[in-house]
Amino acid sequence: MMIGGIGALQFKPAIDGTKAASPGLLQGGVGTKAGEGVGSSFAEALSQAATKTVNTLQNAEQMSIQALKGDADTRQVADAVLSAQQALQTTIAIRDKVVSAYLEISRMSI
C-alpha cells in the first residue's frame, strides 16, 4: 500500500535562529506577510506541514523498496526511515496539541 497525500506544514524557525525538532518539516516563513489573516495562514501552515510529512513518508517508502531491489544503500534507507519517523512524531505531537486546545476551548463556559 502506497502512502497517499495530505498536505505539508512549514513553520518559522525559532526566534533565536535555532532549528525546530524536525528541520525539513518546521521551516519557512508562513504567515509573515503584513495583512495576512491569522486563520488562513494557520490553515496553510497545517496543510503544508501535512504535505511535507507525506512526502517524507513516501520517500522512506521508496528507499525501502529500492533497498529490497538491491538498488539502495542501507545507510540511505536508515536515514530516510529515521527522517520519516521524526516527521511523523512531529505531526502527531502537533495533532495532540491541536486536539488538546480544542477540548480546552470546548470546556470553557461562555
Side-chain angles (χ1 to χ4, degrees):
M1 178 176 178
M2 301 297 279
I3 297 171
I6 297 177
L9 275 201
Q10 291 187 346
F11 294 109
K12 296 182 282 185
I15 293 172
D16 62 0
T18 59
K19 291 188 177 184
S22 181
L25 181 63
L26 302 176
Q27 291 181 1
V30 175
T32 59
K33 296 178 184 173
E36 187 173 324
V38 173
S40 65
S41 65
F42 181 71
E44 182 181 321
L46 286 176
S47 175
Q48 290 173 356
T51 299
K52 184 76 172 182
T53 299
V54 168
N55 291 341
T56 303
L57 294 171
Q58 287 174 337
N59 180 49
E61 185 178 46
Q62 290 299 320
M63 290 301 288
S64 297
I65 291 170
Q66 289 178 0
L68 290 173
K69 294 178 182 178
D71 296 335
D73 184 28
T74 305
R75 168 87 181 188
Q76 293 172 321
V77 176
D79 287 343
V81 169
L82 289 175
S83 177
Q85 179 183 10
Q86 186 177 22
L88 188 58
Q89 287 175 341
T90 302
T91 302
I92 290 170
I94 291 168
R95 180 214 54 198
D96 291 347
K97 289 292 185 181
V98 169
V99 169
S100 175
Y102 173 78
L103 291 175
E104 187 174 328
I105 290 169
S106 70
R107 283 187 236 129
M108 288 182 180
S109 60
I110 298 176

